[in-house]
Amino acid sequence: MLRPESPETLDECRQAIDRVDAALATLLERRATLAGTVQRLKPVGGFAGRDMERERALVAAMARRAPQLGEERLAPVMNAVIEAGLSLAEDRARRP
């Protein structure tokens, strides 16, 4: 992952945030691609095939890795990530 940083100026902080954002973008696209594969393999894919118990477990596991954010803050973020991935998978499924 990213190496620890200790920026001390506003510019250094913003540059560090930009690096984290770049890594997030790459990881989010990778996650969406993997989730698209899952959608093709599931008997019921797309939004109808969501597994809310798995999603809750995912958020709980993430909260253990990011306790300052906790489940309350991570849940809406992961919901948005999951929905974006499902939307992408559905768009790709409609293409010839």
Side-chain angles (χ1 to χ4, degrees), residues 27-37 81 84-86 88-89 92:
L27 289 170
L28 288 170
E29 186 164 84
R30 175 73 176 133
R31 188 192 194 287
T33 299
L34 291 166
T37 301
V81 168
L86 289 172
L88 177 62
R92 287 183 172 167

Side-chain angles (χ1 to χ4, degrees), residues 1-56:
M1 222 157 80
L2 296 171
R3 60 182 158 72
E5 297 183 59
S6 298
E8 295 185 9
T9 67
L10 179 60
D11 189 51
E12 289 173 349
C13 286
R14 287 182 173 161
Q15 289 175 21
I17 288 170
D18 290 347
R19 285 188 290 278
V20 171
D21 289 346
L24 274 172
T26 299
L27 289 170
L28 288 170
E29 186 164 84
R30 175 73 176 133
R31 188 192 194 287
T33 299
L34 291 166
T37 301
V38 168
Q39 294 309 305
R40 286 192 307 276
L41 297 172
K42 286 169 78 171
V44 176
F47 287 88
R50 285 182 80 167
D51 182 345
M52 300 312 285
E53 185 59 35
R54 177 165 165 69
E55 291 180 25
R56 279 189 287 279

Side-chain angles (χ1 to χ4, degrees), residues 40-86:
R40 286 192 307 276
L41 297 172
K42 286 169 78 171
V44 176
F47 287 88
R50 285 182 80 167
D51 182 345
M52 300 312 285
E53 185 59 35
R54 177 165 165 69
E55 291 180 25
R56 279 189 287 279
L58 167 80
V59 168
M62 291 182 76
R64 287 190 294 276
R65 292 185 68 118
Q68 290 183 55
L69 289 173
E71 289 184 42
E72 257 183 35
R73 291 182 185 94
L74 287 168
V77 171
M78 289 313 299
N79 185 60
V81 168
I82 290 165
E83 288 187 358
L86 289 172

